[in-house]
């Protein structure tokens, strides 16, 4: 097992116009376990044949439903798009429950139904100092982000994680932008991480920079609070439970704040799958 | 093979180019799925439940996956009938496919007001009346669980929307669905659709809390298909108006099972979440499935189930 790089010439993003979500049946090319050798892996890079969409933005996601879900797991699962080339699409996942458990048993040639690219990705401002804040699997959209950023020297990343660093696709980011990683192992580590987030966000606020964050909800709440205190521009990516991914089932909603742009939709539930998953931090209530 | 049909109502007919519709609440306003297939190839689409005023719905979690199904307690969040008529309807291909407005309200009067508002909308082919909602004025009892209340809603909607086909959607959470079906037929329903979701719940053992914020929710998906088939079979025998069957339909074969027990048409609901082109694929495959099964005359096939012992 190795912390392999998710390589290949990336496909264009941030083109003009909206991408249209598409449905396709993809084949598994391979499933690469990540993490320390000798241990059963719970982290995987899933490489699929390339779907027939051309434009995507990091932060957007795809619904995946492998054939081995059968009828007993009716829903597809949402995953960030990690990387896309002319030949393949890569998603990266951690085993959490029933669905990801079955995904960990996928083999080359297995079929996966996929629809995407879905939702709104992160903004990219090549000339703004940009701080990426990732918690655990929240690292995924940033692999594509740093790959596609035209001026990576303006970007840096702070990464908080619980498992060994080799479980995460950090090398794919490291080769473009510097990554400071902090592992949470004992009490005190979390406080230290939170303190570091605040300090780094303060720097960004002084530089009129941009903060982009992705990770578990408590982490997003912390970042949101700091963003408000420091007055720094900040986007957050939310992880809500999803069934359709296209705005139809109304299962994934988050509450907008009174700063939501459309006055009719303030203080109301909106679909995370279509209005998000990436939101401006002051637009939602967590 | 021509699969077009007319749902012959007591007052208004509904013409469908094929018997495949999409179920309310699972297909948004249709527009959400327009990149996965051509909406005009569907027999019709039933939009998300509309209320007179916008509604915010329930707290999250609102949905949870269960074995071969899901529970939802969305709480009928919607933008209200005005937004539907002015912003969504004009963008739908209503000349090419039947747009059916699913409506629900908290009182008989509100149902009538909603129906009256939609009666003049050229783009709306039919109203589907969701009686699986609480009657606020009568202490929260579900309209659909009481034959008199269900009939009262039906006749109020019938009177308020004289130009529309009125389809009444029944709840399976009743002791005798045939009884409710007969009473809405007597009250003037043009057709009956069934089933809505089955009341269920799921719990989380580690947090010792319900999986849904609303505690209970409606079960849908392949898990409920046998219950749905039974209901359609019972209703089709009890009434002479056409029946539209739904509940767990994923494939053309599933759809044909519903036709066999007496449905004239079907709706695809949770199937749209297993794959977003489910309804489109089903409509496209139906002729080939008929051919495989030796069904040459769909009209004759409808309701042709044979059985030995009556229950
Ligand atoms: C926009 C978005 C992007 C995501 N990107 C990634 C990614 O790149 N890599 C990754 O490993 N994970 C990602 N996740 C989380 C991932 O979808 C869940 O870990 C996964 O659905 C868990 O499924 P399961 O069947 O293993 O868990 P179960 O607990 O069996 O799932 C039951 C249901 O709950 C939902 N669910 C459970 N945990 C989560 C969660 N944390 N977030 C959302 N839904 C959940 C599942 O989708 C499923 O429908 C993302 C989630 C969202 C919303
Ligand atoms: C997320 C969700 C939302 C629904 N919303 C509505 C609704 O607004 N009005 C209604 O009459 N039925 C609603 N239903 C019920 C479906 O239309 C359908 O009756 C039920 O799901 C059974 O069919 P299925 O198993 O094919 O999904 C909803 C179902 C789901 C899963
Ligand atoms: S997942 Fe269905 S509306 Fe967002």
């Amino acid at each position: 097992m190795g912390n392999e790089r998710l390589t290949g010439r990336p496909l264009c993003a941030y083109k003009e116009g909206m991408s249209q979500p598409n449905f396709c049946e993809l084949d598994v090319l391979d499933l690469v376990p990540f993490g320390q050798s000798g241990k059963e892996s719970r982290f995987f890079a899933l490489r699929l044949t390339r779907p027939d969409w051309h434009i995507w933005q990091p932060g957007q996601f795809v619904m995946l439903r492998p054939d081995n879900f059968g009828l007993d797991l009716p829903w597809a699962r949402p995953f960030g798009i990690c990387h896309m080339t002319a030949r393949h699409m890569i998603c990266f996942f951690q085993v959490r429950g029933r669905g990801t458990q079955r995904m960990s048993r996928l083999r080359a040639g297995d079929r996966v139904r996929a629809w995407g690219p879905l939702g709104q990705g992160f903004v990219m401002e090549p000339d703004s100092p940009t701080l990426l804040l990732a918690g655990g699997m929240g690292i995924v959209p940033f692999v594509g982000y740093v790959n596609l950023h035209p001026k990576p020297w303006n970007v840096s990343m702070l990464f908080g994680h619980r498992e060994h660093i080799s479980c995460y696709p950090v090398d794919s980011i490291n080769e473009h932008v510097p990554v400071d990683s902090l592992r949470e192992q004992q009490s005190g580590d979390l406080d230290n991480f939170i303190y570091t987030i605040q300090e780094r966000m303060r720097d960004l606020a002084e530089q009129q920079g941009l903060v982009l964050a992705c990770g578990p909800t408590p982490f997003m709440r912390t970042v949101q609070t700091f963003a408000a205190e420091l007055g720094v521009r900040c986007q957050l990516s939310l992880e809500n439970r999803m069934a359709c991914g296209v705005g139809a089932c109304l299962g994934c909603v988050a509450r907008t704040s009174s700063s939501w742009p459309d006055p009719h939709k303030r203080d109301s539930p909106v679909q995370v799958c279509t209005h998000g998953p990436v939101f401006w931090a002051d637009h939602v209530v967590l | 093979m021509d699969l077009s049909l007319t749902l012959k109502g007591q007052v208004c007919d509904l013409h469908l180019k094929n018997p495949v519709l999409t179920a309310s609440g699972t297909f948004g306003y249709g527009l959400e799925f327009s990149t996965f297939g051509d909406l005009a190839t569907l027999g019709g689409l039933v939009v998300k439940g509309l209320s007179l005023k916008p509604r915010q719905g329930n707290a999250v979690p609102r949905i949870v996956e269960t074995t071969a199904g899901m529970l939802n307690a969305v709480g009928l969040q919607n933008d209200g009938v005005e937004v539907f008529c002015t912003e969504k309807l004009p963008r739908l291909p209503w000349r090419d496919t039947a747009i059916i407005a699913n409506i629900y309200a908290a009182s008989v009067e509100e149902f009538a007001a909603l129906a009256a508002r939609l009666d003049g909308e050229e783009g709306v082919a039919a109203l589907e009346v969701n009686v699986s909602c609480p009657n606020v004025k009568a202490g929260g009892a579900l309209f659909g669980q009481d034959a008199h209340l269900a009939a009262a809603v039906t006749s109020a909607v019938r009177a308020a929307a004289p130009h529309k086909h009125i389809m009444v959607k029944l709840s399976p959470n009743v002791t005798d669905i045939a009884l409710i079906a007969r009473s809405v037929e007597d009250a003037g329903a043009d057709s009956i659709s069934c089933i809505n979701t089955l009341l269920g719940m799921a719990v989380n053992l580690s947090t010792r809390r319900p999986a849904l914020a609303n505690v209970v929710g409606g079960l849908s998906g392949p898990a409920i298909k046998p219950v749905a088939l039974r209901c359609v079979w019972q209703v089709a025998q009890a009434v002479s108006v056409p029946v539209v069957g739904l509940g767990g339909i994923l494939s053309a074969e599933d759809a044909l099972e519903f036709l066999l027990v007496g449905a004239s048409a079907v709706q695809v609901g949770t199937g749209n979440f297993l794959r977003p082109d489910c309804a489109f694929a089903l409509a496209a495959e139906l002729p080939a499935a008929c051919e495989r099964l030796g069904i040459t005359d769909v009209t004759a096939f409808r309701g042709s189930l044979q059985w030995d012992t009556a229950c």
Side-chain angles (χ1 to χ4, degrees):
Chain A
M1 274 185 240
N3 192 344
E4 301 180 22
R5 259 177 256 164
L6 311 171
T7 49
R9 224 177 89 81
L11 225 76
C12 47
Y14 298 104
K15 270 200 180 165
E16 294 298 307
M18 279 280 288
S19 50
Q20 297 274 329
N22 222 324
F23 171 75
C24 29
E25 293 186 345
L26 309 177
D27 291 330
V28 174
L29 291 169
D30 54 27
L31 184 71
V32 180
F34 272 52
Q36 290 166 290
S37 52
K39 276 193 177 175
E40 193 194 342
S41 188
R42 287 168 46 239
F43 295 81
F44 297 89
L46 174 64
R47 210 159 55 96
L48 299 163
T49 47
R50 200 176 73 80
D52 50 11
W53 62 74
H54 300 277
I55 310 167
W56 70 287
Q57 296 180 358
Q60 284 190 302
F61 66 101
V62 56
M63 295 295 282
L64 296 183
R65 191 167 185 283
D67 277 0
N68 72 2
F69 278 17
L71 283 190
D72 45 331
L73 302 187
W75 289 352
R77 304 292 193 253
F79 294 96
I81 303 171
C82 197
H83 192 69
M84 200 132 96
T85 73
R87 284 197 304 274
H88 59 226
M89 172 172 77
I90 297 175
C91 290
F92 195 94
F93 69 93
Q94 174 179 5
V95 174
R96 286 277 175 75
R98 305 181 298 173
T100 44
Q101 185 73 50
R102 285 198 202 177
M103 287 174 62
S104 72
R105 298 199 290 264
L106 287 171
R107 286 161 188 249
D110 286 349
R111 201 172 54 157
V112 177
R113 288 177 182 158
W115 55 103
L118 303 167
Q120 314 296 324
F122 287 109
V123 292
M124 194 174 278
E125 299 175 359
D127 295 310
S128 302
T130 304
L131 172 65
L132 310 178
L133 298 172
M137 276 299 105
I139 194 171
V140 169
F142 297 134
V143 174
Y145 194 86
V146 299
N147 232 306
L148 292 159
H149 200 286
K151 298 182 178 174
W153 51 87
N154 285 331
V155 185
S156 66
M157 180 156 127
L158 185 61
F159 177 46
H161 57 99
R162 289 225 172 98
E163 304 300 325
H164 192 268
I165 190 82
S166 61
C167 296
Y168 306 91
V170 180
D171 286 355
S172 311
I173 295 189
N174 247 333
E175 64 181 319
H176 300 278
V177 309
V179 180
D180 277 341
S181 63
L182 287 161
R183 184 171 179 190
E184 189 193 335
Q185 277 180 303
Q186 36 193 292
S187 64
D189 289 348
L190 185 62
D191 291 343
N192 185 23
F193 183 51
I194 292 172
Y195 175 77
T196 315
I197 293 172
Q198 192 177 17
E199 288 311 296
R200 296 286 292 271
M201 285 179 71
R202 197 186 306 283
D203 293 346
L204 259 286
E206 280 162 14
Q207 301 169 51
Q208 312 265 309
L210 180 66
V211 175
L212 308 177
C214 184
T217 308
F219 174 45
M220 291 303 96
R221 257 189 220 118
T222 305
V223 174
Q224 187 184 42
T225 309
F226 291 154
E229 281 170 16
L230 298 163
V232 59
R233 287 187 311 129
C234 176
Q235 288 193 318
L236 309 171
S237 181
L238 307 189
E239 260 194 23
N240 284 23
R241 214 181 279 177
M242 294 179 178
C244 70
V246 296
C249 73
L250 302 176
C252 66
V253 296
R255 264 206 108 63
T256 59
S257 68
S258 52
S259 330
W260 186 259
D262 175 358
H264 301 293
K265 290 273 179 187
R266 285 179 190 153
D267 305 305
S268 309
V270 295
Q271 299 96 317
V272 169
C273 62
T274 49
H275 294 277
V278 177
F279 292 94
W280 286 103
D282 59 333
H283 284 175
V284 281
V285 182
L286 294 182
Chain B
M1 184 183 271
D2 179 20
L3 291 174
S4 68
L5 71 152
T6 299
L7 299 184
K8 286 223 162 295
Q10 306 190 69
V11 176
C12 296
D13 293 347
L14 175 63
H15 185 74
L16 304 172
K17 62 164 67 162
N18 66 57
V20 183
L21 318 176
T22 55
S24 180
T26 64
F27 208 65
Y29 296 102
L31 302 163
E32 293 84 346
F33 286 78
S34 59
T35 62
F36 303 116
D38 180 359
L39 295 173
T41 61
L42 299 172
L45 57 98
V46 186
V47 301
K48 174 71 194 162
L50 301 169
S51 53
L52 214 44
K53 296 273 172 306
R55 274 180 58 132
Q56 299 222 336
N58 291 331
V60 289
R62 293 172 163 190
I63 53 172
V64 58
E65 190 187 54
T66 58
T67 305
M70 65 177 281
L71 289 166
N72 90 81
V74 169
L76 300 160
Q77 178 189 338
N78 79 105
D79 294 336
V81 69
E82 270 329 306
V83 170
F84 169 71
C85 293
T86 55
E87 291 173 24
K88 312 285 182 184
L89 191 54
R91 293 161 60 202
L92 286 168
W94 52 268
R95 287 182 199 281
D96 301 313
T97 185
I99 308 298
I100 301 172
N102 178 284
I103 57 169
Y104 76 95
S107 68
V108 175
E109 297 73 30
E110 214 180 303
F111 263 115
L114 248 176
R117 171 66 188 84
L118 289 162
D119 193 48
E121 287 294 333
E122 193 188 1
V124 173
L127 305 186
E128 184 182 54
V129 187
N130 176 5
V131 291
S132 303
C133 49
N135 177 358
V136 173
K137 287 196 180 156
L142 298 194
F143 291 103
Q145 286 178 337
D146 177 319
H148 299 293
L149 271 176
V153 170
T154 307
S155 47
V157 170
R158 172 73 286 164
H163 304 100
K164 298 295 178 202
H165 179 96
I166 307 297
M167 186 184 291
V168 179
K169 182 171 182 181
L170 302 186
S171 164
N173 305 315
V174 294
T175 342
D176 183 358
I177 195 165
L179 179 82
I180 313 276
R182 264 184 244 113
S183 72
V184 303
E185 178 182 46
D186 291 346
D190 288 319
S191 65
I192 290 173
S193 56
C194 59
I195 56 174
N196 211 314
T197 54
L198 285 153
L199 195 63
M201 79 187 276
V203 295
N204 183 324
L205 272 182
S206 28
T207 60
R208 300 192 188 181
R209 295 188 57 84
L212 295 172
N214 190 55
V215 186
V216 296
L219 182 66
S220 63
I224 72 166
K225 200 186 82 178
V227 178
L229 270 177
R230 182 269 295 172
C231 289
V232 169
W233 177 69
Q234 288 180 328
V235 170
Q237 290 174 81
V239 299
S240 44
V241 291
V243 179
V244 175
L246 73 156
I249 296 176
L250 303 178
S251 65
E253 282 77 11
D254 291 340
L256 288 170
E257 289 181 15
F258 279 82
L259 297 199
L260 179 62
V261 303
S264 295
V266 296
Q267 297 181 9
V268 180
T270 303
N272 296 306
F273 304 155
L274 278 86
R275 49 184 294 179
D277 68 338
C278 187
F280 302 108
L282 198 161
E285 282 159 18
L286 203 51
C290 287
E291 206 159 300
R292 265 199 311 279
L293 291 156
I295 302 164
T296 46
D297 179 353
V298 179
T299 314
F301 173 74
R302 281 200 180 91
S304 65
L305 185 81
Q306 305 281 316
W307 67 92
D308 296 332
T309 49
C311 19

